[in-house]
Amino acid sequence: RRHTRYWRDWSSDVCSSDLARAGEQYLPRASRRCIRVAHRLYGGILGRIEANGDDVFTRRARVPGARKAATVAAAYLGID
């Protein structure tokens, strides 16, 4: 199985930081930080998938625990 160029373009667009930031204003203020962290973590997974040549069938894409912790800490401290 292989992903098409359409899929790669679509997934990159969906994970676009500009698109995500634009939608944040519609979320309850208390939820924004959590959603921002989830966006960054899933964006990290997407980056790993792209680095693996979009191979999601034979290789697992993951974000290391230290990177997850750093992402959460940065959000908690308000660092973008």
Side-chain angles (χ1 to χ4, degrees), residues 3-74:
H3 286 294
T4 64
R5 181 174 181 83
Y6 171 81
W7 170 256
R8 285 191 297 269
D9 292 345
W10 178 84
S11 62
S12 291
D13 288 346
V14 167
C15 292
S16 164
S17 292
D18 294 337
L19 183 62
R21 289 285 188 185
E24 275 185 16
Q25 65 181 325
Y26 300 107
L27 296 171
R29 191 171 299 278
S31 300
R32 293 176 189 174
R33 186 178 294 165
C34 177
I35 297 302
R36 192 175 305 135
V37 168
H39 177 259
R40 288 180 183 162
L41 292 176
Y42 281 104
I45 293 170
L46 178 61
R48 299 288 177 140
I49 290 170
E50 290 171 345
N52 291 340
D54 297 314
D55 180 5
V56 295
F57 300 108
T58 63
R59 297 182 72 177
R60 182 174 173 91
R62 57 183 292 278
V63 175
R67 184 65 163 146
K68 290 177 191 175
T71 301
V72 171

